[in-house]
Amino acid sequence: MTENNVPKRLSLLIDYLGISQRELAQRSGLTESAMCHYIKGDRIPHADALVKIAKATGVRTDWLLGLGSDNSIIWISKELLHG
């Protein structure tokens, strides 16, 4: 079984963007409850949820899954940071 890297990456993303878990859920079109479970590691997001998070934040789905270094979060566009 592979390691679930999504909780760590979501936490990094929230810290980097300076937003709350609630705001990440809203930007992604997901429920706060679902986002909470993803961040805690209780649930692994389905592909459609990963795509929504990636589109809302400007990161790649492979990064959310733990591929590449944690530092490659710099892919986020400045427009997404402010709006």
Side-chain angles (χ1 to χ4, degrees):
M1 180 136 192
T2 52
E3 181 181 349
N4 179 9
N5 292 297
V6 175
K8 178 181 178 186
R9 293 294 170 98
L10 288 175
S11 294
L12 285 169
L13 189 56
I14 286 169
D15 289 344
Y16 184 82
L17 292 173
I19 61 174
S20 66
Q21 177 176 303
R22 173 183 288 173
E23 187 172 346
L24 179 58
Q26 290 171 340
R27 287 183 182 199
S28 304
L30 302 169
T31 66
E32 274 185 71
S33 175
M35 188 62 69
C36 180
H37 286 292
Y38 300 152
I39 291 169
K40 285 182 179 179
D42 297 337
R43 293 188 202 156
I44 298 172
H46 292 281
D48 61 330
L50 286 173
V51 169
K52 287 178 181 183
I53 295 166
K55 284 184 177 181
T57 59
V59 298
R60 295 171 39 164
T61 54
D62 59 337
W63 182 84
L64 285 170
L65 292 170
L67 303 174
S69 84
D70 291 350
N71 295 331
S72 50
I73 197 167
I74 57 172
W75 292 331
I76 298 173
S77 71
K78 290 189 181 198
E79 294 82 34
L80 288 167
L81 289 174
H82 302 292

